[in-house]
Amino acid sequence: AQKVTQAQTEISVVEKEDVTLDCVYETRDTTYYLFWYKQPPSGELVFLIRRNSFDEQNEISGRYSWNFQKSTSSFNFTITASQVVDSAVYFCALSEAYSGAGSYQLTFGKGTKLSVIP
Amino acid sequence: NAGVTQTPKFQVLKTGQSMTLQCAQDMNHNSMYWYRQDPGMGLRLIYYSASEGTTDKGEVPNGYNVSRLNKREFSLRLESAAPSQTSVYFCASSDPGTGGREQYFGPGTRLTVT
């Protein structure tokens, strides 16, 4: 069975600090996909990034970067120079390659609440 | 494009009442999903529909039914609401056929059962 663990329930940082959100996953599949979503206080869920298991290259998008390491089954998310607008709950999710029913179910972690203090 | 829309945004029900949550997407996606979000529990899949005409149970299907009305619309019905169904409900869609496994979410419905 798939499992996603976000051990950090809540993190507080002061604005402009860097912060890393941890995500550890378990799967028996050799092909899978990993995702990060952001849920700001307004409540909507915003897709941030998808990674497949064949691509271990780290990715950077502005102040956001993602570190995917298959050897440790981790897909960590770093925000550089955090801003108040980064305050949100962040979810890591895992999708197996194929659910057998023509769809790809996501297994979510329980989320990490990030508070950026001005 | 509106993306994924859900109605209503808020609802209060009494125990035993029934209601249907509506979801529609305009992205021509094949797959649609219903989740519930409870504090500290993350998102849990209730039901999903891989394509028009098919539906399957997710992790927490008890007390719910779904209908995939057409490719665009996927509704969630509570036949006899219980306080344990107080939650925020999210609908999502995806199009795995084009290579994108990510799901796009609606704004959510906050349901309170008293």
Side-chain angles (χ1 to χ4, degrees):
Chain A
Q2 300 181 126
K3 186 178 178 182
V4 176
T5 301
Q6 294 180 255
Q8 305 149 308
T9 307
E10 292 192 41
I11 301 176
S12 288
V13 297
V14 176
E15 201 171 21
K16 296 185 184 172
E17 286 185 346
D18 299 346
V19 59
T20 295
L21 310 182
D22 297 332
C23 173
V24 173
Y25 62 91
E26 295 174 30
T27 179
R28 286 179 289 188
D29 290 340
T30 54
T31 302
Y32 51 88
Y33 297 83
L34 295 160
F35 308 82
W36 276 96
Y37 284 83
K38 174 182 180 180
Q39 187 175 40
S42 51
E44 73 273 23
L45 281 147
V46 179
F47 164 68
L48 294 178
I49 190 172
R50 177 190 79 218
R51 221 59 189 141
N52 72 51
S53 53
F54 297 126
D55 184 1
E56 285 194 74
Q57 242 183 343
N58 291 334
E59 179 145 348
I60 298 174
S61 175
R63 296 184 297 106
Y64 294 174
S65 62
W66 291 270
N67 184 330
F68 174 32
Q69 292 196 334
K70 283 177 83 167
S71 60
T72 56
S73 297
S74 64
F75 186 43
N76 296 338
F77 174 26
T78 297
I79 302 174
T80 302
S82 60
Q83 299 177 2
V84 173
V85 293
D86 297 325
S87 296
V89 180
Y90 291 87
F91 291 96
C92 182
L94 167 69
S95 173
E96 59 195 355
Y98 184 62
S99 73
S103 72
Y104 298 84
Q105 297 180 42
L106 295 185
T107 298
F108 284 85
K110 295 186 178 179
T112 297
K113 182 177 180 181
L114 174 65
S115 298
V116 181
I117 303 162
Chain B
N1 286 352
V4 180
T5 56
Q6 293 182 235
T7 55
K9 284 188 167 44
F10 300 94
Q11 184 72 49
V12 178
L13 291 178
K14 288 184 166 40
T15 298
Q17 287 185 319
S18 62
M19 80 160 296
T20 300
L21 280 64
Q22 306 286 356
C23 174
Q25 51 92 9
D26 62 2
M27 296 177 282
N28 202 34
H29 285 170
N30 283 314
S31 300
M32 297 185 74
Y33 311 82
W34 275 106
Y35 292 88
R36 60 179 288 172
Q37 183 179 25
D38 303 294
M41 299 294 291
L43 282 94
R44 293 182 292 170
L45 183 65
I46 305 171
Y47 270 94
Y48 66 98
S49 171
S51 59
E52 188 178 350
T54 69
T55 60
D56 281 287
K57 295 177 181 178
E59 180 186 354
V60 289
N62 291 346
Y64 305 94
N65 284 302
V66 290
S67 296
R68 183 75 182 266
L69 304 168
N70 47 55
K71 190 172 184 178
R72 287 188 65 247
E73 298 172 288
F74 187 38
S75 62
L76 178 72
R77 182 158 178 86
L78 287 70
E79 291 290 353
S80 178
S84 61
Q85 294 177 305
T86 293
S87 189
V88 180
Y89 292 85
F90 287 97
C91 178
S93 71
S94 69
D95 194 9
T98 61
R101 270 64 170 174
E102 59 273 17
Q103 295 178 14
Y104 294 92
F105 286 80
T109 295
R110 187 174 294 273
L111 175 67
T112 302
V113 183
T114 61

